[in-house]
Amino acid sequence: MNIAAPNEDNPAAPSWLKRPKDVNALVPEIWPVGARRDQTGVLQIGGCAVTELVEQFGSPLYVLDQDDFVGRATSFRAAFADWEVFYASKTLLTRRVAKWIEQVGLGLDVCSANELALAQAVSFPAQRIELHGNNKSLAELTAAVDQGIARVVVDCFEEIDRLESIAAGLDRMVVVSVRVSPGISAHTHEYISTSHQDQKFGFSLQSGQALAALEYVLEQPHLHLTGLHCHIGSQIMDTAGYIAAANRLCELAASLRDLTGHEISQLDLGGGFGIAYTLQDQPLTAGQWAAGLNDAVREAVNRFALPAMRLAIEPGRAIAGPAGVALYTVGVVKPIALEAGERCYVSVDGGMSDNIRPALYGADYTAVLANRISDARPLLSRVVGKHCESGDVLVHDVWLPADVMPGDLLAVPGAGAYTRPLSSNYNMAARPAWVSVQAAAASLMLRRETLDDLLACDLG
């Protein structure tokens, strides 16, 4: 978020970013359920002091609140009790995360051979796995068919041919859903809006390609067409787009029935459920999503006289995002005098290598001073990384105490989704460690990369 019009609190502040009454406060909506400050002002997550976590595991550090993660997964399972719920593994996938998802009773949505292999490594039930992707390789499709996963979501005509050939060679019948691009605007960033016509995913509904793909799948002797799938985008805050998509998919199902007599039995509305990164975000709860989508799909099914369908969703960010907190150590503090006011640049020991989302598509985060309480006045600040890019920004605008100094810890909430999977080794940065916390105990999930790790693939 760049500097916007002046407001009454600070001339350099964006109009939506009001000066807080208490710069030390933790707003419950954007922090894990176990986050609080202890009597000394140190942030605790899952009963663990962040100062002690950084001392033990180093900085930067990502902390995942197990109770928060499992609680959100459980809430989706309970709210959508009559639906299939697949966790979108691209959000965050580790052995431990896969085990939590399995224990809660969710399915797993994978998009690569390696994600599928990790699921297999922890004995995740194959019949609760679905495979996505716009360019699945022969090896990926073969692994999916060989393991007997629940279904493959096909994305192009070439893939239908590949899948039929593999299934015939293994003498298997493969359950298939067809990904449809229904032309719905998700009112989100272009890079995370995935349902308009001019993009790489799915078969276009408007052009007639989707209906043609459905007919083509029906012609394949080893493919069993059961479902329609769509994904309209990410970080969505209301049900309107899903309702429109459900109506268009049901209309497509009715067209296929009228043309071929084949009944679609499964409808997958994808994921994209938004979370609160800052106070301006107002996401729905799992229960609110369920109430809205259940009614909408029931009405659409009745409108087109379709049989009862098995319904599915694919939450990821809404489960992992709020459970994660990133911890950074302040290295440099640089006040800047601006014509419109003042700003402080606070440089930390991470950056776009561990969280590229702000640089990639302008994602907003917030931050707090995590190792102490401060009585200093709030100062509009920008939290930046240490990489050689001016776009290396982690938090564009946040009120931090004016006495933030080198060695302080900053905590960034909402960091559990799409940070580790999108991380890199830019400037040969080593990826941070991840720990899970519960009941005042911390356990290493992903160890910190070392220089030896970075050099291991460099053969000289």
Side-chain angles (χ1 to χ4, degrees):
M1 182 74 66
N2 293 321
I3 299 173
N7 66 34
E8 60 185 6
D9 293 317
N10 186 294
S15 57
W16 59 265
L17 187 69
K18 299 297 184 182
R19 186 191 302 270
K21 294 180 180 179
D22 180 3
V23 76
N24 300 293
L26 301 180
V27 180
E29 290 82 0
I30 58 178
W31 290 91
V33 65
R36 65 177 185 86
R37 290 191 186 273
D38 65 18
Q39 64 274 17
T40 67
V42 173
L43 176 64
Q44 293 202 352
I45 306 169
C48 297
V50 297
T51 48
E52 295 177 6
L53 292 175
V54 168
E55 182 178 355
Q56 181 178 358
F57 299 105
S59 174
L61 180 66
Y62 279 74
V63 182
L64 197 66
D65 187 318
Q66 179 177 344
D67 288 339
D68 191 277
F69 184 102
V70 172
R72 293 178 190 275
T74 301
S75 70
F76 271 97
R77 176 67 283 164
F80 290 90
D82 298 326
W83 293 45
E84 289 183 292
V85 181
F86 291 87
Y87 171 72
S89 63
K90 63 182 179 289
T91 309
L92 174 67
L93 185 64
T94 70
R95 295 173 187 265
R96 194 170 301 170
V97 164
K99 290 177 182 177
W100 293 343
I101 291 298
E102 193 277 329
Q103 292 165 3
V104 170
L106 272 57
L108 197 62
D109 162 33
V110 301
C111 299
S112 72
N114 287 346
E115 290 176 348
L116 182 58
L118 186 146
Q120 187 179 33
V122 297
S123 300
F124 197 98
Q127 66 273 18
R128 283 162 50 190
I129 298 175
E130 64 176 11
L131 176 65
H132 272 286
N134 69 298
N135 185 24
K136 305 179 191 70
S137 68
L138 286 171
E140 288 169 331
L141 291 171
T142 301
V145 175
D146 187 56
Q147 291 184 33
I149 68 170
R151 62 175 171 268
V152 176
V153 182
V154 297
D155 199 89
C156 64
F157 286 103
E158 290 87 351
E159 183 183 334
I160 296 171
D161 291 334
R162 292 174 189 171
L163 192 57
E164 169 59 28
S165 177
I166 292 168
L170 294 174
D171 193 25
R172 301 281 183 85
M173 181 63 69
V174 179
V175 176
V176 167
S177 287
V178 171
R179 178 159 179 171
V180 177
S181 180
I184 302 298
S185 174
H187 302 293
T188 186
H189 192 283
E190 178 186 358
Y191 291 176
I192 53 176
S193 180
T194 54
S195 190
H196 52 273
Q197 300 300 317
D198 189 10
Q199 50 90 32
K200 71 177 187 176
F201 293 109
F203 295 93
S204 167
L205 177 63
Q206 184 177 7
S207 69
Q209 189 182 59
L211 183 58
L214 293 170
E215 292 182 271
Y216 191 55
V217 171
L218 289 176
E219 296 172 4
Q220 312 307 315
H222 294 87
L223 304 185
H224 178 46
L225 175 63
T226 63
L228 298 177
H229 176 280
C230 72
H231 181 74
I232 62 173
S234 297
Q235 188 58 1
I236 300 169
M237 295 294 182
D238 61 64
T239 60
Y242 296 99
I243 293 172
N247 277 279
R248 294 190 185 184
L249 291 186
C250 285
E251 184 176 11
L252 176 61
S255 296
L256 181 68
R257 175 201 58 199
D258 295 344
L259 187 64
T260 67
H262 184 82
E263 298 276 16
I264 293 294
S265 60
Q266 199 262 349
L267 186 67
D268 191 331
L269 296 180
F273 310 112
I275 67 170
Y277 287 103
T278 69
L279 288 179
Q280 65 177 333
D281 299 321
Q282 297 182 332
L284 301 181
T285 65
Q288 290 170 326
W289 283 117
L293 297 186
N294 270 312
D295 291 344
V297 172
R298 188 181 305 110
E299 291 175 6
V301 166
N302 292 337
R303 180 178 303 111
F304 295 100
L306 297 171
M309 289 190 185
R310 196 160 38 103
L311 305 173
I313 54 168
E314 300 162 359
R317 179 199 317 266
I319 293 173
V325 176
L327 303 177
Y328 300 99
T329 301
V330 175
V332 173
V333 179
K334 185 184 295 184
I336 301 291
L338 304 172
E339 290 184 5
E342 59 181 339
R343 182 190 299 282
C344 186
Y345 277 77
V346 180
S347 297
V348 297
D349 55 354
M352 62 191 299
S353 60
D354 64 86
N355 185 1
I356 199 173
R357 294 187 66 252
L360 184 62
Y361 39 72
D364 284 319
Y365 288 85
T366 189
V368 298
L369 180 63
N371 59 303
R372 61 185 175 90
I373 289 288
S374 173
D375 294 327
R377 68 182 179 90
L379 179 61
L380 187 66
S381 302
R382 179 162 291 170
V383 181
V384 298
K386 60 181 297 177
H387 300 297
C388 298
E389 299 286 344
S390 58
D392 180 23
V393 176
L394 289 168
V395 184
H396 288 275
D397 291 292
V398 61
W399 295 97
L400 291 175
D403 65 349
V404 167
M405 65 187 72
D408 276 334
L409 296 183
L410 297 186
V412 176
Y418 298 105
T419 44
R420 177 69 181 198
L422 287 171
S423 61
S424 73
N425 296 123
Y426 186 45
N427 291 151
M428 287 195 73
R431 290 180 177 88
W434 281 67
V435 298
S436 64
V437 293
Q438 183 190 45
S443 176
L444 190 63
M445 298 175 63
L446 295 167
R447 68 165 175 82
R448 185 178 307 278
E449 285 182 332
T450 65
L451 179 59
D452 287 342
D453 292 326
L454 301 185
L455 294 178
C457 294
D458 188 340
L459 303 183

